[in-house]
Amino acid sequence: MNRLLLLLLMLLVVLSPLPLGSNREWSWTLCALLASLISLLWLAARGWRQGEAIRLLNPAIPLLFLAACAWVLVQTATWVPDSWKHPLWEQAAGVLGMPLPGLISLSAEDSHTALLRLMAYALVFFLAFHLARERSRAHAMLGWMVAAGLAYGIFGLIVFWTDYSPEWLFRGKALLPDLRSTFINRNHFATWQGLTLLCAVALLYMRMSQTHARPYQLPDDRADKVESFVLKAWKPLAIILLMVTALVLTHSRGGFLSTLLATLVLLYLLDSHSVTKKLSSRVVVLSALAVSGLAFYMTSEVLLQRFDRTDIT
């Protein structure tokens, strides 16, 4: 059952960016429905294994999340003080000549939709948190994310470099000169690509930290070590190169900076927690940074121009 739940969850996660980043009512509603159904399946599976211990989140996490959900509902309530309500409600009442209740939100329906989507994201997090307790499932989820990030990145590069606009996806609309893959907004794709890039860096580290020592094996000389490193590292490094290229060509300043900071934090944590293999850990870290720097050097002209146009505000 856990394998089935993992398959369903990862299909939901990796396919949700396909219909324009699930940026339409039918697609985000479908995603929320599927996340709810998978959660119900998880609950039913737990009922069959009642003796299994459940790992609980830190209480602060659900409390803070519930506080955010409660604030969304407060914004759609009519009983809040008049000083909190948006002034456009009063102006609209004057123009229409009829009393209007007034809300903090300008659209209660849109606020409820945002809450629906936020709760769907929380269900995905909850399922991933529990299904990733087993190491093999966690590794599988990491592989799914890297494969999806690479696929959407390559598709975005093809569209960007060939001016190919698939009719089934974009309906022949002219796209702005930014890489956005299957997403409408380049910043949204930069967020997705940045998260999957972090998974790729972690996958590189895991691959390079694997040992295949055999009994009675003679120590490798320097040439053997270099050959072994190249054979193990070229695939994940090529993946990182393509994904960084796609990220930079989005020309998203916020997406690039947030991904850069997140990657540096991840590399620092990997280096600081590597007790037995400090040297090999730093080789992996430096390799990832070198490949990322190469991709940035080749494709960053427009992004740097946008940074130059950014003032202090």
Side-chain angles (χ1 to χ4, degrees):
M1 179 58 74
N2 277 331
R3 290 179 180 177
L4 174 62
L5 291 172
L6 176 64
L7 176 63
L8 294 175
L9 175 64
M10 296 317 300
L11 285 175
L12 171 62
V13 171
V14 303
L15 293 179
S16 59
L18 188 57
L20 300 178
S22 290
N23 192 257
R24 293 295 182 265
E25 184 175 1
W26 72 267
S27 52
W28 72 57
T29 305
L30 179 61
C31 287
L33 175 63
L34 292 176
S36 303
L37 292 177
I38 298 173
S39 301
L40 290 175
L41 280 176
W42 180 86
L43 286 174
R46 280 210 53 79
W48 300 335
R49 305 186 311 272
Q50 297 180 359
E52 181 181 345
I54 184 171
R55 184 181 178 186
L56 298 177
L57 287 167
N58 186 309
I61 296 177
L63 287 176
L64 289 172
F65 176 76
L66 290 175
C69 294
W71 174 239
V72 175
L73 294 176
V74 168
Q75 292 181 67
T76 64
T78 58
W79 47 261
V80 297
D82 290 339
S83 60
W84 291 19
K85 298 178 180 179
H86 200 288
L88 281 180
W89 285 104
E90 183 178 356
Q91 296 176 26
V95 171
L96 297 175
M98 57 183 294
L100 296 175
L103 311 167
I104 298 175
S105 172
L106 275 176
S107 172
E109 181 180 354
D110 289 339
S111 297
H112 293 150
T113 298
L115 181 59
L116 167 74
R117 296 167 64 175
L118 181 63
M119 296 182 71
Y121 302 152
L123 286 178
V124 172
F125 166 77
F126 177 83
L127 290 168
F129 176 79
H130 285 286
L131 292 176
R133 289 170 58 190
E134 185 178 313
R135 182 184 297 268
S136 61
R137 292 202 297 266
H139 287 184
M141 295 167 79
L142 197 65
W144 274 85
M145 294 305 300
V146 174
L150 178 63
Y152 286 106
I154 291 177
F155 175 78
L157 291 171
I158 293 173
V159 173
F160 181 82
W161 280 329
T162 63
D163 292 329
Y164 166 67
S165 181
E167 177 70 22
W168 58 270
L169 183 61
F170 299 114
R171 302 298 181 190
K173 296 179 180 178
L175 301 178
L176 295 176
D178 304 304
L179 192 148
R180 61 194 71 220
S181 189
T182 60
F183 290 70
I184 295 177
N185 190 301
R186 65 182 176 193
N187 299 306
H188 296 167
F189 175 66
T191 303
W192 159 268
Q193 191 73 347
L195 291 170
T196 56
L197 179 59
L198 292 177
C199 295
V201 173
L203 190 67
L204 168 66
Y205 182 84
M206 290 165 50
R207 183 180 180 88
M208 300 308 298
S209 62
Q210 291 176 350
T211 58
H212 301 285
R214 297 183 297 273
Y216 311 113
Q217 181 182 14
L218 294 175
D220 293 334
D221 57 20
R222 179 169 296 183
D224 291 334
K225 290 181 179 179
V226 172
E227 180 183 1
S228 175
F229 176 82
V230 171
L231 290 175
K232 292 172 65 176
W234 76 268
K235 287 183 180 179
L237 287 178
I239 291 173
I240 291 175
L241 176 66
L242 289 169
M243 294 174 72
V244 171
T245 301
L247 173 65
V248 173
L249 289 176
T250 63
H251 307 143
S252 171
R253 291 166 291 189
F256 173 77
L257 288 178
S258 58
T259 302
L260 175 63
L261 291 174
T263 304
L264 292 176
V265 170
L266 175 61
L267 293 176
Y268 169 76
L269 292 174
L270 292 175
D271 180 69
S272 62
H273 284 76
S274 178
V275 179
T276 58
K277 296 185 177 181
K278 205 73 171 178
L279 179 59
S280 60
S281 170
R282 289 180 177 172
V283 169
V284 172
V285 168
L286 291 175
S287 300
L289 289 176
V291 169
S292 301
L294 175 63
F296 181 78
Y297 173 77
M298 294 189 299
T299 57
S300 61
E301 181 179 358
V302 176
L303 180 61
L304 291 177
Q305 290 175 0
R306 296 196 72 230
F307 276 118
D308 289 338
R309 295 197 299 268
T310 305
D311 57 22
I312 191 62
T313 55

